[in-house]
């Protein structure tokens, strides 16, 4: 099969051995996959991952149990044991023995075929295109923010970062009716937020007042976190949506002095994400800046790091 692998270097292989499904798993033929910031970080050495990259995808079940055969599916990325203390207490996403598709201990979806646990699958409704379905995983991650903080119409909230994740989080929060602002530095990306009715402010034009109830940092940078500490009110909350690049230069004293709650936030509900995409509460199509045939995956990975791009999709369908 064709596959994009990360060993010492990133490599496109046209003849990688086909994966074989283990017990409780099925084989999915990938139709489209999305390149995520996490993929770019993995290439730089994050998690010391080795294997086939990729965790955002839609595909058709090629072999597995009769229930799933031929169905168009998306797949939760945490593969769990269902036996450990975390699994048994309802926190399976934090399973002690988990592997994570294309991120930790398990081959991902930048390939013609991928093996996944059947229990991780969700059928994609006909109302969603393949392009929309690829976004289920990141939209689910955006929804996790709602399960961790009680947003209401009176909540004053800010999203820092107008990239891939920031624009998804902004749309999800906007649906709660909260008083929302998105802060970024790319005019084209900020205008996408404005088109969805979210107030957008360029970081250079920001009047920084520590009066926000909650700030969601989607930059994954020390500068983004620092800005969040200056925007949040005393006793307010900062939600970290991106894996943090490092602590150098980060002012943790502000967290202590202003008694700020810092919440880490990762994967969320696929059902919520699928429903939101069907209802068009989250519009993802304007975020696709390029769709690239899978043969050109190396080129696509290089382009994904450029500021002008939001989401680049890999097309495995032909
Ligand atoms: Zn477990």
């Amino acid at each position: 099969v064709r596959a994009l692998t990360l060993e010492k270097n990133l490599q496109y292989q046209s003849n990688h051995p086909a994966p074989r499904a283990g017990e409780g798993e099925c084989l999915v033929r990938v139709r489209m996959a999305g390149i995520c910031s996490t993929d770019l970080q993995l290439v730089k050495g994050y998690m010391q991952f080795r294997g086939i990259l990729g965790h955002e995808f839609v595909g058709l079940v090629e072999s597995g149990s009769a229930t799933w055969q031929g169905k168009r599916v998306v797949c939760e990325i945490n593969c769990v044991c269902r036996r450990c203390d975390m699994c048994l207490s309802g926190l399976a996403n934090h399973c002690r023995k988990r592997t994570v598709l294309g991120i930790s201990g398990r081959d991902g979806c930048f390939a013609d075929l991928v093996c996944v646990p059947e229990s991780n699958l969700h059928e994609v409704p006909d109302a969603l295109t393949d392009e929309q379905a690829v976004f289920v995983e990141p939209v689910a991650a955006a929804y996790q923010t709602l399960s961790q903080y009680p947003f209401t119409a009176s909540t004053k909230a800010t999203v820092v970062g107008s990239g891939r994740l920031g624009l998804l989080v902004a749309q999800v929060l906007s649906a709660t009716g909260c008083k929302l602002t998105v802060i970024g530095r790319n005019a084209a990306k900020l205008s996408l937020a404005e088109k969805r009715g979210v107030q957008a402010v360029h970081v250079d034009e920001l009047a920084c007042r520590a009066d926000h109830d909650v700030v969601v940092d989607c930059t994954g940078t020390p500068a983004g976190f620092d800005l969040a500490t200056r925007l949040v009110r005393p006793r307010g909350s900062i939600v970290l949506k991106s894996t943090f690049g490092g602590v150098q230069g980060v002012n943790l004293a502000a967290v202590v002095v202003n008694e700020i709650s810092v919440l880490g936030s990762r994967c969320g509900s696929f059902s919520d994400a699928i429903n939101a995409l069907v209802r068009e509460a989250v519009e993802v199509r304007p975020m696709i800046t390029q769709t690239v045939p899978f043969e050109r995956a190396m080129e696509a990975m290089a382009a994904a790091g450029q500021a002008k791009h939001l989401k680049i999709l890999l097309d495995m369908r032909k």
Side-chain angles (χ1 to χ4, degrees), residues 135-214:
F135 282 85
V136 169
E137 194 277 334
V139 170
Y143 264 90
Q144 182 67 355
T145 317
L146 291 192
S147 75
Q148 291 177 291
Y149 187 91
F151 290 85
T152 68
S154 60
T155 304
K156 190 166 176 179
T158 291
V159 173
V160 179
S162 58
R164 290 174 267 265
L165 193 55
L167 289 176
L168 293 178
V169 170
Q171 291 190 62
V172 167
L173 298 192
S174 154
T176 69
C178 70
K179 294 169 198 146
L180 181 65
T181 308
V182 178
I183 298 165
R185 54 176 74 256
N186 181 302
K189 293 175 185 177
L190 288 172
S191 83
L192 278 180
E194 275 175 340
K195 280 189 189 126
R196 296 296 294 174
V198 177
Q199 190 192 349
V201 178
H202 193 281
V203 67
D204 294 340
E205 283 152 20
L206 187 67
C208 226
R209 280 194 60 198
D211 62 353
H212 292 75
D213 298 309
V214 55

Side-chain angles (χ1 to χ4, degrees), residues 44-309:
K44 288 181 191 155
Y46 172 60
M47 303 285 289
Q48 289 92 48
F49 176 74
R50 293 287 177 268
I52 299 173
L53 275 181
H55 57 277
E56 300 175 0
F57 77 104
V58 58
L60 288 178
V61 176
E62 182 142 305
S63 66
S65 76
T67 330
W68 286 103
Q69 195 80 37
K71 292 211 162 132
R72 193 165 63 118
V73 294
V74 289
C75 179
E76 296 193 35
I77 68 175
N78 297 288
C79 305
V80 304
C81 77
R82 301 188 181 279
R83 288 189 195 94
C84 73
D85 58 337
M86 288 292 109
C87 283
L88 294 176
S89 64
L91 296 172
N93 277 352
H94 295 280
C95 170
R96 308 276 185 193
K97 293 183 179 167
R98 76 178 182 276
T99 57
V100 188
L101 200 68
I103 294 175
S104 174
R106 173 179 279 268
D107 277 336
C109 64
F110 291 168
D112 286 311
L113 291 168
V114 60
C115 282
V116 291
E118 255 179 45
S119 50
N120 285 37
L121 295 179
H122 294 256
E123 189 172 4
V124 178
D126 291 340
L128 295 187
T129 62
D130 284 337
E131 285 82 357
Q132 287 173 297
V134 171
F135 282 85
V136 169
E137 194 277 334
V139 170
Y143 264 90
Q144 182 67 355
T145 317
L146 291 192
S147 75
Q148 291 177 291
Y149 187 91
F151 290 85
T152 68
S154 60
T155 304
K156 190 166 176 179
T158 291
V159 173
V160 179
S162 58
R164 290 174 267 265
L165 193 55
L167 289 176
L168 293 178
V169 170
Q171 291 190 62
V172 167
L173 298 192
S174 154
T176 69
C178 70
K179 294 169 198 146
L180 181 65
T181 308
V182 178
I183 298 165
R185 54 176 74 256
N186 181 302
K189 293 175 185 177
L190 288 172
S191 83
L192 278 180
E194 275 175 340
K195 280 189 189 126
R196 296 296 294 174
V198 177
Q199 190 192 349
V201 178
H202 193 281
V203 67
D204 294 340
E205 283 152 20
L206 187 67
C208 226
R209 280 194 60 198
D211 62 353
H212 292 75
D213 298 309
V214 55
V215 181
V216 185
D217 175 37
C218 296
T219 67
T221 65
F225 182 79
D226 185 60
L227 180 57
T229 62
R230 287 184 285 124
L231 288 167
V232 72
R233 67 166 166 81
R235 282 282 174 104
S237 298
I238 296 175
V239 182
L240 298 178
K241 275 310 308 179
S242 284
T243 39
F244 201 51
V247 290
Q248 207 175 8
V250 168
N251 180 12
L252 288 175
V255 172
V256 176
V257 171
N258 296 316
E259 300 189 318
I260 296 163
S261 299
V262 179
L263 300 168
S265 176
R266 187 166 45 100
C267 301
S269 158
F270 268 48
S271 312
D272 285 350
I274 290 170
N275 289 335
L277 288 165
V278 170
R279 292 196 322 269
E280 301 196 344
V282 177
E283 172 62 286
V284 293
R285 284 164 290 201
M287 294 175 58
I288 302 169
T289 47
Q290 211 170 40
T291 303
V292 178
F294 189 47
E295 279 84 357
R296 286 166 47 205
M298 290 293 285
E299 204 181 304
M301 285 290 289
Q306 297 166 8
K308 65 176 181 180
H309 281 295

